[in-house]
Amino acid sequence: MKAPTTVILLVFGFLLGILFTGVSVNLAAPRLLIKEAHSPYDFEKTVRVIRERIAASPNWHLVEVYDQNAEVTAHGGAPIGRMAIIKYCSGRYASDMLKADDRKQLAAMMPKGIAVYENSRGEVLIAMSNGLVMGKLFGGEVGRIVEEVSREVEQIMGFMNFKFSTF
Amino acid sequence: MPNATTTAESSSARSGAGPGGGNDNDAEARFKHLPITLFAIVMGLSGLAIALEKAYHLFGGSPLWFRAPLIFSTGLFGVLVYFYGRKWMRYPEVVAADFFHPVRMHFFPTVSISLLILSIGYYSYLPVLAVPLWFLGAGLQAGLTFFIFSYWIRHNFEIQHANPAWFIPIVGNIIIPIVGVDIVGNQVAMFFFVVGLFFWVILFAIVLYRIIFHHQLPDKFVPTLFILIAPPAVGFISYLRITQNVDVIALALLFIGYFFTILVFLMANSFWRLKFFVSWWAFTFPLDAITIASLAAYQATREPFYAVVSILLLTITVVVIGIVSVETLKQVRRGAICVPEA
């Protein structure tokens, strides 16, 4: 193969690779960044179990549980069905994450949240951001802290078996 | 359909005297004999990286332990793709002979499986890289699955052609959902999972019949008995990823995997006496798979039993991969890897 042909093929292959990566990541992103799963319990019990498990975890505490349907309807929105947003935090990990200036911006994603809701078919679902994947996207110290956080979140969500874990 | 061994020999003979050929001792001519089975090394090493990543995630330690084999196996995959690509360009008739060979054709999905395993490895390290790797691997795996199944239907095979390597195209389908469930959702993941599981059961009956009622497997294929571990072990992981539940089906898959693991260890004598072949790498990925399955079982249930089994299996896997790696390096130094088949 002549040298110019090889160069043209390499450049074309490189550009095709960038295009393929961009398209495939864009297709995957919505499922990759938010995890949703069915709860084994009804709405009330799911919220209660998560609250209890957060309270029982040594490094974690419950910040607030929002009744999102009430919030929405109280401020002029149409009802969205039963939905609770459970906000929880760890003083230790939040401090690790936010003490450095270059990581303070991550406060925009804190405290951690778990959404519990009933869909139109009456199924109870749980959703949360796929923190582990997001942590890997940041990499470095953020990735390390998120790795530790995800171990403990797995314990909290252990009642749902294989939840929100990495592979 | 000619006998597998005869075809293999004639294919090698053809490749030695084919166009562009020459003296087989010549380094350039050597890669004409580059076997597709070398991709099993990527499977074994990247599978080990995933097992080490899971161990790191569950038990702590340094992430370097899994990143090093992952990056190394990625580099090796690139090198093998480059050399096999060169072989394909220079000796397309040799590659075609392998691709339509009744035994060797089943090793071509090791390329797509390598991509899929690398995507699993990178999912926990560089998720953005995992996504294109998965799309490439899943697309190639789907294509190869349909091709191989249609080839089986359109051609007559002899029962002695059946061996555990026939599971390789099947295992690929069961691997797809592991990352695929997060990329394309449950329905697509479920499609590949059930196709893989359905044909695993059917092929298992055929391969078991061949092993029990016909001639013993040639020595070169004895290590492929380890592949019996892979479908249920990978099936357990996939099932867990799709259903997010440890139920009776999940446990059935895991325990069938354990059964075959115990079985091959009880048959250790059959393996010790074997001369080294590249096919020894067939030992490695199934061991990785049952180790990862045990780690996943521990992750899901937090039962100490699975922690103990995981650590035991991880130790065995590391030792086995160490031994096979050393033997492979010895063979490379002796120039005994890319040679015509005996």
Side-chain angles (χ1 to χ4, degrees):
Chain A
M1 200 179 292
K2 287 179 185 171
T5 317
T6 311
V7 171
I8 290 166
L9 280 177
L10 276 174
V11 170
F12 184 71
F14 183 70
L15 292 174
L16 206 65
I18 291 174
L19 184 70
F20 178 74
T21 305
V23 171
S24 59
V25 169
N26 198 44
L27 284 172
R31 285 192 182 87
L32 215 57
L33 297 177
I34 303 283
K35 304 292 295 169
E36 185 187 56
H38 283 87
S39 170
Y41 307 128
D42 63 23
F43 182 83
E44 283 86 8
K45 187 169 178 185
T46 303
V47 174
R48 192 176 72 241
V49 168
I50 294 173
R51 289 178 69 138
E52 285 169 1
R53 292 182 73 97
I54 290 168
S57 300
N59 291 321
W60 297 84
H61 65 276
L62 195 70
V63 177
E64 183 70 80
V65 179
Y66 297 99
D67 180 343
Q68 189 66 3
N69 189 42
E71 286 283 325
V72 167
T73 48
H75 294 89
I80 54 172
R82 301 173 88 183
M83 179 178 282
I85 300 174
I86 301 164
K87 290 285 183 184
Y88 65 112
C89 191
S90 159
R92 184 187 142 195
Y93 292 120
S95 165
D96 280 356
M97 188 67 88
L98 301 176
K99 67 186 173 193
D101 282 350
D102 61 340
R103 294 198 297 267
K104 288 196 192 306
Q105 57 184 316
L106 292 165
M109 298 197 296
M110 292 183 187
K112 285 179 71 63
I114 300 170
V116 180
Y117 48 91
E118 242 176 30
N119 65 14
S120 55
R121 293 190 296 275
E123 299 164 327
V124 178
L125 294 127
I126 297 177
M128 56 196 292
S129 62
N130 193 349
L132 203 54
V133 165
M134 288 187 186
K136 303 297 177 189
L137 292 175
F138 284 98
E141 187 63 5
V142 175
R144 186 195 65 74
I145 296 168
V146 172
E147 181 80 36
E148 285 184 36
V149 167
S150 65
R151 280 189 200 119
E152 300 201 10
V153 172
E154 267 179 39
Q155 297 271 15
I156 293 169
M157 302 302 284
F159 74 99
M160 294 188 63
N161 286 326
F162 197 61
K163 275 319 310 127
F164 309 115
S165 56
T166 171
F167 235 108
Chain B
M1 173 91 29
N3 174 282
T5 317
T6 315
T7 316
E9 283 164 357
S10 59
S11 163
S12 299
R14 271 200 310 279
S15 60
N23 185 354
D24 276 6
N25 293 327
D26 176 49
E28 179 59 22
R30 190 174 282 279
F31 81 21
K32 190 161 51 171
H33 303 296
L34 185 82
I36 190 74
T37 47
L38 285 181
F39 282 93
I41 301 176
V42 179
M43 288 173 59
L45 290 177
S46 44
L48 175 66
I50 297 166
L52 290 169
E53 191 281 327
K54 296 298 286 177
Y56 160 71
H57 179 71
L58 291 167
F59 306 118
S62 168
L64 285 178
W65 284 105
F66 78 85
R67 286 177 190 171
L70 183 64
I71 290 165
F72 178 77
S73 50
T74 310
L76 183 64
F77 179 78
V79 168
L80 288 175
V81 166
Y82 173 73
F83 280 112
Y84 206 85
R86 266 182 74 185
K87 172 180 168 176
W88 191 8
M89 285 170 72
R90 291 188 67 116
Y91 309 105
E93 74 288 345
V94 179
V95 173
D98 283 348
F99 194 69
F100 294 106
H101 187 276
V103 174
R104 287 194 209 132
M105 70 185 305
H106 301 104
F107 288 94
F108 277 84
T110 54
V111 180
S112 50
I113 294 174
S114 296
L115 282 165
L116 289 166
I117 299 171
L118 286 172
S119 82
I120 300 169
Y122 279 107
Y123 191 47
S124 306
Y125 179 27
L126 298 171
V128 172
L129 185 55
V131 175
L133 283 171
W134 183 88
F135 273 105
L136 273 178
L140 188 60
Q141 176 62 39
L144 285 169
T145 301
F146 282 113
F147 169 76
I148 289 173
F149 270 79
S150 62
Y151 194 85
W152 284 346
I153 292 166
R154 286 186 284 111
H155 294 80
N156 292 327
F157 283 76
E158 303 296 334
I159 189 69
Q160 67 268 23
H161 293 147
N163 67 72
W166 282 35
F167 288 121
I168 295 172
I170 300 305
V171 171
N173 289 288
I174 310 177
I175 292 175
I176 286 176
I178 296 174
V179 168
V181 74
D182 284 352
I183 293 179
V184 288
N186 268 16
Q187 302 299 315
V188 178
M190 197 68 186
F191 170 80
F192 286 103
F193 176 74
V194 294
V195 167
L197 216 62
F198 177 73
F199 286 105
W200 164 54
V201 174
I202 291 172
L203 280 184
F204 180 73
I206 296 170
V207 171
L208 194 66
Y209 168 77
R210 181 254 187 269
I211 291 172
I212 293 175
F213 294 107
H214 290 268
H215 294 296
Q216 293 297 301
L217 288 171
D219 275 359
K220 187 181 288 191
F221 283 105
V222 171
T224 62
L225 285 171
F226 266 67
I227 298 174
L228 296 174
I229 301 170
V234 177
F236 168 76
I237 301 165
S238 274
Y239 183 85
L240 222 53
R241 292 284 291 157
I242 294 169
T243 66
Q244 299 166 342
N245 200 10
V246 182
D247 57 16
V248 71
I249 299 172
L251 289 176
L253 288 166
L254 181 63
F255 291 155
I256 294 169
Y258 283 154
F259 169 78
F260 284 120
T261 309
I262 295 165
L263 184 70
V264 292
F265 280 114
L266 291 177
M267 291 169 59
N269 277 344
S270 306
F271 302 109
W272 292 135
R273 62 175 176 77
L274 293 175
K275 185 176 155 236
F276 179 83
F277 297 108
V278 176
S279 60
W280 272 31
W281 280 94
F283 290 138
T284 59
F285 178 69
L287 281 175
D288 294 332
I290 195 69
T291 305
I292 299 164
S294 304
L295 287 160
Y298 175 62
Q299 188 176 16
T301 65
R302 301 286 160 172
E303 289 281 347
F305 166 77
Y306 294 117
V308 173
V309 173
S310 304
I311 291 165
L312 181 68
L313 284 170
L314 185 60
T315 309
I316 293 169
T317 305
V318 169
V319 170
V320 169
I321 289 180
I323 292 169
V324 178
S325 300
V326 169
E327 288 298 324
T328 305
L329 287 174
K330 281 184 192 167
Q331 295 286 313
V332 170
R333 274 178 54 183
R334 278 204 291 267
I337 294 287
C338 300
V339 293
E341 288 190 18

